[in-house]
Structures are given as structure tokens and as C-alpha cells.
Amino acid sequence: MRKHVVLAVTMAMAGVLATSAPALSAARPASAAGPSPAEKARLEKMRKAADDLDEGADPAAYRKAWEAVLAYGETLYPAGHPELAWLEGELVTADYLQGDVTGALARAERLGARLEAGGPEYRDRRMELANAQVVILMTLSDHDRARKLAAQVLEWRIARSEGKPSSNVAAAYSNYANAEFEFGNFDKAIELVRKANAEDRRHETIPVNAAPRFANLPVFLLQSGRLEEAIEEARATQATLEGFMPKGHPYLATNLNTLARILLTLGRPGEAETVSRKAVDIAVARFGQSQQAVSYMVTVAQALIAQGKTDEAIATARQAADILTKGIGPDAQRTLMARESYADAIAASGDREQAIAILREVNATRDRKLPPFHRDRITGRDQLAIFSFEQGDMAAAKTAQTEAQALRRSTFPAEDIANLTGEARLGAIEVHGGDKAGGLKRVEAAAALLDERLARLRAAGTRRSGLELEIRAAYGWALDAAVTAGDEALAFRLAQRMMESSAGRAVQEEEARSVAGDPQLAELIRERQDAAIELEALLDRQLRLAGRGADTATIEAVAGQRKAAAVRLEQRTAALAARAPQLVAPAGSEPLTLESVREALRSDEALLIAGVSESRTTLFAITRDRVSMAMSPATAQQIATLVTRLRTGISLQAAAGAGRSFALRAASPTRAAISDDRTATGFDFDASARLHDILFPKAIRSTIANRSRLLVAANASLTTLPLAVLAPQRSDPTLRNAHWLIRDHVLVTLPSIASVTSARSTGTGRKVHSFFAVGAPELAPAGTAMAFRSADMARQVRDLPALPATEPELRTVGRALAAPEQSILTGSRATEQAIRTADLTRTNVLAFATHGLMAGDLDGLDEPALVMTPGGSDDGLLTASEIMRLRLAADWVILSACNTAAGGSGDDSGLAGIARAFLYAGGRNLLASHWAVRDDAAAYLSVGTVRKYGRGEDPARALREAMLRMIDKRPFEGAEQPVNWAPFVFVGR
């Protein structure tokens, strides 16, 4: 789905339209008596008072003041006098800010003609008003006129400034930048807006009306695909704005909207919704339902669509489109963007026919108003192709995509990622339309160039950039074509490219160190990997801090850390390239072949691959003697909606939404149950069955039948769900009669497809010589409430409930393993310092039994973490980035805590936080959780699993048996409910 970006300068017009009127000139026609000196002084005083008002903060008061100025001026000058035209020019700003954009343009053009007629002495004032016209023309999508007029205004203002700092020059640069951006000249627009910012910084104090100009730069960078730069500039902009803007000023909303767009690009729609709603609230508080506030509603709608909240998205987008149509007309750019979002929401609800009709109208309007190579004309055709493709109308899809590609070829190079994505999509459309040979040829050519671009990003150490995200989306379309054409080998290669995750990269990076041979070389590789990951973590932290409005000092400190990390990455890369250039690209970067995977599987194993893309879901079932490939029409959005439904019914945390509040029943710390009616009636059997049908069609079921061990590699939202809770459709489903997937298979979650060929567990337990465990941190007493390992409403580490059951749990695990060397740290000994100073390279099994937190669970927590005992210089939070710095060689890491399989960064839905950190640090296999875990359930599952592992059994099989005992034997109240038996997954390689 296309992400719309609304230009900041056209969201906050104050200070850009404002004409900064000089003292009134005495020039007037000789026949006019003119005002007296006293009258002129009074008028000047009124004008000065009106000009000093903050038009952005209170446009109504600004209008009232200037209407009073104009009314008094009309008593001094005859009707039609140029001086009256100049005074009335300030009402152009008021018109715009209060939503009457077409009225603002009509007024500006009428007054401009009057000033022009006034002769050379009014030329300066005519150009001031022309600057306002530039912005109005852009808002109304007349970009060609705006661009030409902007260049004239800039030239005039530079000449008039005489080299002195000038807000007028800055505004002219910014307006010209916006006009070039809308015309598709991204690089020139970025250059011009940087000049605008530099001009504003020449003042001793940055003027308030500079805010929209600073907010433009991250928007331009984001739209240009330069994600890291956009995040950095958004952070810097937020700090700059907060340095000279009053709290709650509407200009701050502009940058918040940009941050929300960045979050959408990163695949974090929940956070994007929160930030964009904050932007709407700020704007509405000052402007009401103005075009500025309504523009931010479009961002809210897109965030809702991405979360599957289609009904709310439709209502929001429709409201925005209606308000903008009435306020600035049906053909204005912002109106078209709102209508396009409305079409997106309608399509997400399943009504693609209506969505296509709306989009055709939008595209027709843009064709009339925009130059052929404008990005909106191109991407509008992309979206029309996607809607038509989903509708099954391949002829219409091909026409739209072919037109888009023709427009791109006239402007963009062949290796441009948007162009390659379009080529891959066109290839998929051609294959679906019957041109198998032509479509595959196009797809393979595009995939080869995508491989080159991805390799360059890897070699540079770039991680999770906007370009990489776009590249992986392009692979999805190529994969669609290969599967439809029946080319298994090509499809398998493309699936690996599309599905690569940060957890998979963590495993590859650990293996790269392991096979280096030379310890010094391995350490050099590790140092470079650490620098790249540190840079990524700081990038995420900057974004979160800016989104929640952290103080400037905190944000600046992180910015400094990020710059230092970037320098370290460059240094480590250069050092590694000098010693072993072949190791600069990470190990495992070449896709596996089907043959190598089949050879790596054991006779009792099957591999299920579920690759979710924008257009389809691709499935592979692979055994030693058979390969089956299938495709489901379920899109990424549809899968995400089903997963959300299912998790909402399973997990009380998911049901509570972003706030993650829990309904607890007072009882003993180890035996209280979640009420049966809450979870029994909440479980969504329909969503479970639908996902089961999508992932296990007949061909897939046939291939994996009679294979006791099922290895699963999935992507997107599927990584946030334990597949154990899937069950086929029944006419009268209940928790007792459901045939859960866990009944048929031992389930192993793979960090990546490549993990199949790694040196994997033999499926049996191993003799453990060293066990290291940490848990039961010294926190507040548990009281009478059930102790959940999550941080819901707690705002400080010491406010978290104690976990009294975790110490006996860990000691029971220790006895079951019977390791000669054991170290169990609890209470005051369970500290970060103890973990950092321990030699964990000797540990076979590492266990944590504590609270697991997600980013945002505590004030100031910007990444996932495990809770330790706070004290001294330790804050009691062992964060994901700190875990990555550990040196491990553990066969198994047991994470008996909440949310340890949850996502933690932008391009991954799951296994991207705590789990990924332990994989990177050297943990080979993990026991991790997908949601809030009840204290007694966690102990039952972990101890039961470890006990059998200590006896030589496969840990994944032992976990399955513990789950089935909970379902069938009900060892405690509520044990048969999925929220209690299903949170853990075995992550292996």
C-alpha cells in the first residue's frame, strides 16, 4: 500500500504566507489628501500590533486584528487604493489558515492585480503577495505555476535582502523547494530546503514562523527513500522546534505527523497511530477542523488500515475527504490524498470495485493537473494496478502498470527500486495473465538488479534502511510470479530474499564469527557487527524519543551517540575489509537450493515455509523426498487482520490494545486463574480455522503428514503467533474438542530458512555440564494479585510485582538438569553486573525467570528488556542491546518471561527483540514467549520441558508434551486455555 506524505509547508501556512509588512509608505496619488500624521501613526500602531500576533497559534484572532486595521485604513484611503490592497493582503493568510484556500487564492489574485496597477513603488509588495500565491497554488495542485512564480520570488527576495539574515529569503527557498518537490525534483528540493534552514539559523533567535521550513526536510528525505536520514532530521527538527516554540504550538504537530509517516514506513502502525493522533489533537486544539488538522487525519487513516481497523479507517478517511472537498475543493492535492486513503480503506474492507472507481477519478484529476513524470501520477497507476490485480482483472492491471513503467523510464534509472518493484509487479501480472515466459523473463531481470542493490547495502553495513524495506517488497511480487508459473527453484530463492529478518541475520552473524577460525578475526567481525547493531538500536531510540516529545538534552545525547556509532562502524568496516574483504558481506547471504535443504532434513522432519507478501501468501512444504508449493490469495493485510483477531482472543495483553492493561483476579500468587468466561468466549475459533486453512491447504497437508517434527519459517505478522493454536474448522468448536496443530507435530520455529542447513540439534537432549540462571529479582512484594511477567501499568522497575515462584522454578530446573556446575542468582544477586562479569562462554544452559518488558512498558524504556534487581549504577533493565554485547556459547537459553519472542524493531513483527538479542550473542536454541505469561503456567511449562531435556529428550518434543498435559490433564484451573498453555515457542537451529 502506498504511503502518502503530506508536505509540511502546506500544513502550517502561518509565517509562509504572512507578508511581514513594512511600515506604511506615504506614497499615494497626488489627488488624494491622504491621512494626517496622527492618523498614519495610529494606523501604523494598529498594523504593528496585528503583525506581532502569532497567526499559526490563533488565526481567528489574527483575522480579527487585521480586519480592524483594514477597516480603519478604509477611512483614510479611497476605495481601490493600493495601500488598502496591501493591508487586505494579510487576510489571505487568515483565509488559508481557516480553511478557505480557494478564497485565499481569489483574494490574492485580486489584490495582486491592484498592487501591480499601483506602479513600481508597489513592486516589492506585489512580490510579497506573490510568495503567498506560490503556496496557495501548491495546495491547489497547480505546481507548474507555483514553480515558476517561486523562482521569481526567490530571486527578488535574495536581491532585496542585501546579504542580511532574512526570513523572507528562507520562506522563498522553502516555497521553491516545495514546488520542485511536487514537480518530482527531489534532490533539488532537498538542496533548496537545506538552504532555507541555513538562512533561518543565521538569526540570533530562530523565528517562530521558520517551523514549517525545518519540518520539510525530513518529509523530503522520507519520500525520497532515505529513511535513516529522515529519522535523523526528524529528531533534529523536533529538538530545534522545541528549542524555540512554546509547548503545544500547532507547528509541533507538523513534525509529529512526519514521525508517524516514518513509523508507518518502518512497519510500526500502532506507534504511528498514537503519534499521528497526537498531531491531530494539537492542530484541532488551535485550528479546529481545519485543513491542517484534517491532513493529519489521513495519516491516522493509513495507520488504521495497516492495523486492519478498516471500519474506523473508512470513517476517518471519508471524513477527511469530505472536509477537504468542502474547504479547498475536490481537485486539491490534499483532497486527492484523502480520497486515495479512502480508496485504500475501502479496498482493505474487500470492496475493490468501489476502490478502483474512486482511484480512477483521482488519477484522472492528477493527469489533468500534474506533469507526466510527477510521482503521484506514477504511484496512482501502481495502486490502480494492485487493486485491479487483487480484483482479478489482469488486463486492467497490466494497462495501469505498463503506463506507470513508461512514465518511470522517462525520468528514473533502470536500477531505481521503485522501477524494479514496478517491473516485478508487471511480471507477476503478465504471468497471471497467461504470458508465463515473458513475465518470468521480466521478473528475473528485475530480481538480478534487486540482488545487486541488496548486496551493496549489506557491504556498506546498512541495516533496515528504507531502501531495503522497498527491495524486500519488490521480491514479494517477483515471488508471486515464480510460484504462479510453477518455477520452484526460482520461487524458493526469492522467498528467502523476501523473508530475511533481523533474527535470521543474527544467526548468520553468529555463524560468521564461529567459522572465522582465527579468534582475532572473529573478534574483528564481532566488533563490526556490534557497531552496526548499535547504530540500528540508536536509530530506533531516536525515533521513539522524538515521537513522545522527550527533552532536548536527552535527544541530543542520543544523537551524539549515534554519530559516534556511525564513525565506529566505518572504522570497523575498513579494518575488516583490509584484513579479510571477503567477510565484509555477511555469511549466508547467498540463498540455499531446494536440494541442499532436502538433504539437511531428517526423515521425521518437514519444513513449512510461509512467505507473506503484499499480493499473496506463498507456501512450501519440504521433506527429504518431496517438495510441495502452493499459493493462497491471502495478502499481508488479511493475514495480519486474522492474527490480530486470534491474539486478541488468546491474550489479555493483546485484548487490552496498546495500553496492555490486564484484568486480574485476586488469588494466590501461583494458582489464581484468568476467568474461564473471559478466555473461553474470547478465543476466535473462526480466525484460527481460517489461518489453518490458509497455511495448510491439501497439498501442504499431504506433504507434512506423518512427519512428527515440523520446522516453521514464516514472516510478517505470522511471527507474532505460535502456530500451535491453529485448528481446523469444526461445527461446534470448544477448547476441549479443538484439534490443535500441536497435537500433530513437534513445532520448531526457525529464525530463518537458512537455519535448516546449520549445525542443528539432533533432536535429543545433551549432557549439561554448566547451568547459569537469573531470576526472582528483588522488587515490590507480590501481594495477593496473580503475578504476571509483564509491566502493564507499572511506571518504575521497583513498582513491578515480585515473582516469588521464579526462585523455586529455577532451582527445580537446576535439579532436573543435574549439571556439575550451577550458578543460580536470585534476589539481590540477580543484577546486570553479575551477568556482565560472568564467563557465560562455559554455560550450556542459560535461564531467566523474570519480567519481560517491551519498549514503552516503562517511562523511558526504548527497547525490550529483562528485569533485574536494580541497584548502584544498574537500572535493573537488561536491554536487548546489552544482551547483544554478551558472549555466549549456550546450547539452550530459557526465557521464562513475557514477550521474549515479540518484535523490537522496524522490519520484523516477531523474534526481533529479546530473542534476536540472545541469538546474536551466541544462544543456539531458545524457549521464548509471545505474550504475558502467568507465573504458574510459565513454571509448569519450563520445568516440564527441562526435566525431560535433562533425561535426554528433544526439548521441542518435551515442550509439546508439557503443553498437551496442560490441555488434557488441567493441572490447575484454566490450564486448558491457550493463553496459558500456548505462549512459548521453541526457537531452534
Side-chain angles (χ1 to χ4, degrees):
M1 183 174 298
R2 190 159 70 93
K3 303 294 190 297
H4 310 290
V5 178
V6 183
L7 293 180
V9 74
T10 59
M11 293 178 192
M13 282 301 304
V16 182
L17 278 175
T19 53
S20 302
L24 292 171
S25 169
R28 56 187 179 277
S31 60
S36 68
E39 290 170 331
K40 287 174 58 179
R42 180 185 174 191
L43 183 60
E44 174 61 16
K45 183 177 180 180
M46 293 177 65
R47 187 207 64 78
K48 179 68 167 56
D51 199 47
D52 286 343
L53 293 174
D54 184 345
E55 65 271 27
D58 192 347
Y62 186 78
R63 172 186 291 278
K64 184 177 180 180
W66 278 103
E67 284 177 342
V69 173
L70 178 60
Y72 183 63
E74 288 172 341
T75 67
L76 307 179
Y77 295 97
H81 195 287
E83 292 291 349
L84 295 178
W86 178 236
L87 294 175
E88 188 182 350
E90 295 296 332
L91 294 180
V92 173
T93 301
D95 289 338
Y96 188 98
L97 288 175
Q98 293 184 302
D100 186 8
V101 181
T102 52
L105 180 61
R107 191 193 294 266
E109 290 179 339
R110 172 173 57 81
L111 299 177
R114 193 178 299 172
L115 290 169
E116 195 74 40
E121 60 200 282
Y122 287 97
R123 175 64 177 170
D124 286 358
R125 301 184 187 187
R126 170 67 189 99
M127 294 307 293
E128 292 280 6
L129 194 59
N131 184 64
Q133 286 180 261
V134 170
V135 183
I136 297 171
L137 288 168
M138 284 190 290
T139 302
L140 297 175
S141 298
D142 195 345
H143 301 301
D144 194 32
R145 281 180 65 195
R147 183 165 160 260
K148 294 174 181 176
L149 190 55
Q152 295 175 25
V153 172
L154 175 61
E155 181 181 3
W156 166 74
R157 282 195 156 166
I158 290 174
R160 293 288 295 170
S161 71
E162 298 179 344
K164 299 176 183 177
S166 170
S167 293
N168 290 334
V169 170
Y173 271 125
S174 184
N175 287 350
Y176 192 13
N178 275 278
E180 291 292 355
F181 185 88
E182 286 299 312
F183 215 65
N185 298 334
F186 293 170
D187 290 343
K188 186 171 183 179
I190 290 170
E191 176 189 353
L192 288 168
V193 80
R194 287 190 190 278
K195 290 181 177 180
N197 295 167
E199 183 68 23
D200 280 318
R201 290 185 187 278
R202 293 178 65 200
H203 295 272
E204 287 187 19
T205 301
I206 298 175
V208 172
N209 61 17
R213 300 190 281 273
F214 281 96
N216 269 348
L217 183 54
V219 175
F220 291 172
L221 291 167
L222 175 62
Q223 188 69 10
S224 303
R226 293 154 67 172
L227 183 60
E228 280 84 357
E229 290 179 78
I231 292 174
E232 170 61 19
E233 288 297 340
R235 190 280 315 161
T237 295
Q238 195 73 7
T240 299
L241 294 180
E242 290 172 355
F244 69 90
M245 302 285 296
K247 186 175 181 180
H249 193 284
Y251 282 170
L252 295 173
T254 301
N255 201 53
L256 287 174
N257 189 69
T258 301
L259 289 170
R261 286 293 170 192
I262 293 172
L263 286 163
L264 273 174
T265 302
L266 286 171
R268 287 148 61 173
E271 292 177 69
E273 181 187 352
T274 299
V275 175
S276 58
R277 286 191 185 280
K278 189 186 299 184
V280 172
D281 290 343
I282 291 173
V284 168
R286 292 300 183 93
F287 296 139
Q289 282 194 333
S290 65
Q291 56 171 310
Q292 287 87 348
V294 173
S295 296
Y296 306 142
M297 288 171 59
V298 175
T299 308
V300 175
Q302 288 294 330
L304 292 169
I305 293 169
Q307 296 175 83
K309 302 176 182 179
T310 52
D311 290 344
E312 192 176 355
I314 289 171
T316 301
R318 180 169 51 208
Q319 181 185 14
D322 290 346
I323 294 172
L324 290 171
T325 297
K326 182 178 179 180
I328 59 178
D331 295 349
Q333 176 67 355
R334 287 190 221 170
T335 306
L336 296 176
M337 292 171 66
R339 294 184 65 202
E340 196 166 24
S341 289
Y342 180 47
D344 288 344
I346 291 290
S349 73
D351 189 355
R352 293 188 183 86
E353 185 174 346
Q354 183 183 356
I356 289 171
I358 295 170
L359 194 56
R360 288 189 185 281
E361 293 175 0
V362 170
N363 287 349
T365 301
R366 285 176 172 158
D367 286 351
R368 292 195 308 270
K369 300 180 73 66
L370 302 175
F373 54 83
H374 191 279
R375 72 183 192 284
D376 286 348
R377 289 188 62 175
I378 298 172
T379 56
R381 283 166 168 77
D382 287 337
Q383 195 67 13
L384 181 58
I386 292 170
F387 286 173
S388 299
F389 177 87
E390 293 171 347
Q391 186 77 349
D393 187 347
M394 296 304 155
K398 183 176 181 179
T399 298
Q401 196 62 57
T402 300
E403 290 176 356
Q405 294 307 99
L407 293 173
R408 282 194 174 97
R409 279 192 291 272
S410 66
T411 307
F412 301 103
E415 66 272 16
D416 176 75
I417 295 174
N419 181 62
L420 295 176
T421 302
E423 285 294 293
R425 186 183 299 119
L426 182 55
I429 292 167
E430 289 172 334
V431 170
H432 278 271
D435 185 5
K436 176 179 173 180
L440 282 182
K441 182 178 179 181
R442 186 185 300 275
V443 160
E444 291 192 81
L449 289 174
L450 289 170
D451 288 348
E452 291 179 12
R453 293 298 300 271
L454 191 59
R456 290 204 294 270
L457 288 176
R458 283 171 161 164
T462 304
R463 311 172 64 86
R464 225 172 23 81
S465 71
L467 295 179
E468 182 176 349
L469 297 176
E470 292 179 30
I471 288 170
R472 299 206 182 282
Y475 280 126
W477 286 102
L479 173 61
D480 186 308
V483 175
T484 304
D487 191 329
E488 287 184 345
L490 177 60
F492 188 63
R493 180 172 71 83
L494 293 170
Q496 292 173 76
R497 290 295 198 212
M498 181 190 76
M499 294 174 64
E500 184 178 295
S501 68
S502 64
R505 287 196 297 270
V507 171
Q508 291 176 2
E509 288 160 343
E510 191 278 330
E511 290 176 347
R513 302 193 300 265
S514 298
V515 301
D518 181 349
Q520 291 183 341
L521 183 59
E523 185 61 22
L524 189 58
I525 294 171
R526 173 73 187 241
E527 289 175 355
R528 185 204 185 224
Q529 293 170 351
D530 286 350
I533 287 172
E534 181 184 14
L535 194 61
E536 177 182 334
L538 289 169
L539 193 70
D540 275 338
R541 190 171 183 217
Q542 283 182 321
L543 186 57
R544 287 194 173 97
L545 286 171
R548 72 166 187 260
D551 63 273
T552 301
T554 300
I555 294 175
E556 290 296 339
V558 177
Q561 294 169 19
R562 185 168 183 262
K563 290 177 181 177
V567 171
R568 283 194 293 276
L569 177 58
E570 291 178 4
Q571 293 171 341
R572 302 296 187 271
T573 300
L576 181 60
R579 180 163 180 179
Q582 74 278 10
L583 296 179
V584 170
S589 58
E590 288 304 312
L592 303 175
T593 64
L594 277 169
E595 291 72 22
S596 65
V597 171
R598 290 174 60 179
E599 291 174 1
L601 292 170
R602 297 193 292 270
S603 60
D604 65 337
E605 290 181 329
L607 170 63
L608 172 69
I609 298 172
V612 181
S613 71
E614 184 179 16
S615 61
R616 297 286 192 271
T617 297
T618 299
L619 303 166
F620 281 93
I622 306 171
T623 63
R624 287 187 68 88
D625 52 14
R626 186 175 176 183
V627 175
S628 293
M629 184 173 68
M631 179 177 283
S632 165
T635 65
Q637 182 60 64
Q638 291 166 337
I639 293 286
T641 299
L642 289 172
V643 168
T644 299
R645 283 176 50 187
L646 192 49
R647 277 188 58 102
T648 299
I650 293 173
S651 169
L652 292 178
Q653 182 180 41
R660 289 191 286 273
S661 60
F662 296 96
L664 306 183
R665 293 181 67 176
S668 73
T670 57
R671 289 294 181 265
I674 301 169
S675 60
D676 290 343
D677 56 350
R678 175 76 181 265
T679 48
T681 58
F683 186 81
D684 195 330
F685 287 100
D686 179 68
S688 173
R690 286 174 183 244
L691 280 170
H692 185 279
D693 290 348
I694 289 169
L695 299 180
F696 299 98
K698 183 177 180 180
I700 300 299
R701 293 200 310 271
S702 175
T703 300
I704 68 174
N706 303 318
R707 295 300 195 280
S708 61
R709 189 177 175 88
L710 182 62
L711 313 179
V712 179
N715 72 327
S717 58
L718 287 176
T719 64
T720 68
L721 186 75
L723 298 192
V725 299
L726 301 188
Q729 190 74 53
R730 293 181 66 101
S731 58
D732 58 340
T734 67
L735 293 176
R736 294 188 180 186
N737 68 17
H739 191 80
W740 308 113
L741 184 64
I742 194 66
R743 291 196 179 278
D744 295 327
H745 305 281
V746 173
L747 298 176
V748 178
T749 299
L750 298 180
S752 69
I753 297 172
S755 299
V756 175
T757 59
S758 303
R760 292 189 292 119
S761 162
T762 61
T764 59
R766 296 178 58 181
K767 185 173 180 58
V768 179
H769 63 74
S770 178
F771 172 59
F772 187 95
V774 184
E778 199 170 79
L779 302 168
T784 57
M786 163 58 71
F788 276 83
R789 297 176 193 185
S790 178
D792 175 36
M793 300 303 292
R795 305 321 302 168
Q796 301 294 330
V797 173
R798 284 208 181 268
D799 290 336
L800 295 169
L803 298 170
T806 56
E807 181 171 358
E809 173 186 337
L810 291 176
R811 298 199 181 281
T812 303
V813 168
R815 287 193 296 272
L817 290 172
E821 297 179 15
Q822 296 200 17
S823 180
I824 300 176
L825 307 181
T826 60
S828 62
R829 300 172 63 214
T831 64
E832 294 178 76
Q833 178 66 15
I835 296 169
R836 286 194 296 266
T837 57
D839 181 7
L840 299 180
T841 60
R842 295 173 48 81
T843 298
N844 297 108
V845 177
L846 178 63
F848 290 85
T850 183
H851 290 285
L853 307 180
M854 297 173 68
D857 276 341
L858 298 179
D859 290 335
L861 181 60
D862 299 302
E863 57 179 318
L866 295 175
V867 175
M868 302 291 110
T869 298
S873 60
D874 288 344
D875 59 8
L877 297 172
L878 184 65
T879 63
S881 58
E882 290 171 332
I883 292 167
M884 285 184 171
R885 291 196 285 271
L886 300 175
R887 280 0 187 217
L888 307 180
D891 294 324
W892 196 15
V893 179
I894 302 168
L895 302 174
S896 186
C898 293
N899 301 308
T900 49
S905 53
D907 64 337
D908 301 274
S909 299
L911 296 183
I914 297 294
R916 170 209 177 187
F918 277 106
L919 289 169
Y920 175 82
R924 297 196 58 76
N925 302 289
L926 309 177
L927 184 69
S929 62
H930 273 293
W931 53 71
V933 187
R934 238 175 62 175
D935 203 45
D936 50 353
Y940 189 91
L941 290 167
S942 62
V943 172
T945 301
V946 171
R947 182 175 287 121
K948 293 205 169 188
Y949 175 78
R951 297 171 184 168
E953 292 191 26
D954 171 19
R957 186 178 300 278
L959 176 62
R960 171 179 177 264
E961 292 171 357
M963 289 179 175
L964 292 178
R965 282 198 304 275
M966 284 183 67
I967 297 170
D968 297 332
K969 304 297 184 182
R970 302 182 67 185
F972 50 83
E973 186 181 3
E976 80 284 3
Q977 297 164 4
V979 68
N980 291 326
W981 64 259
F984 287 105
V985 291
F986 182 81
V987 181
R989 52 179 170 128

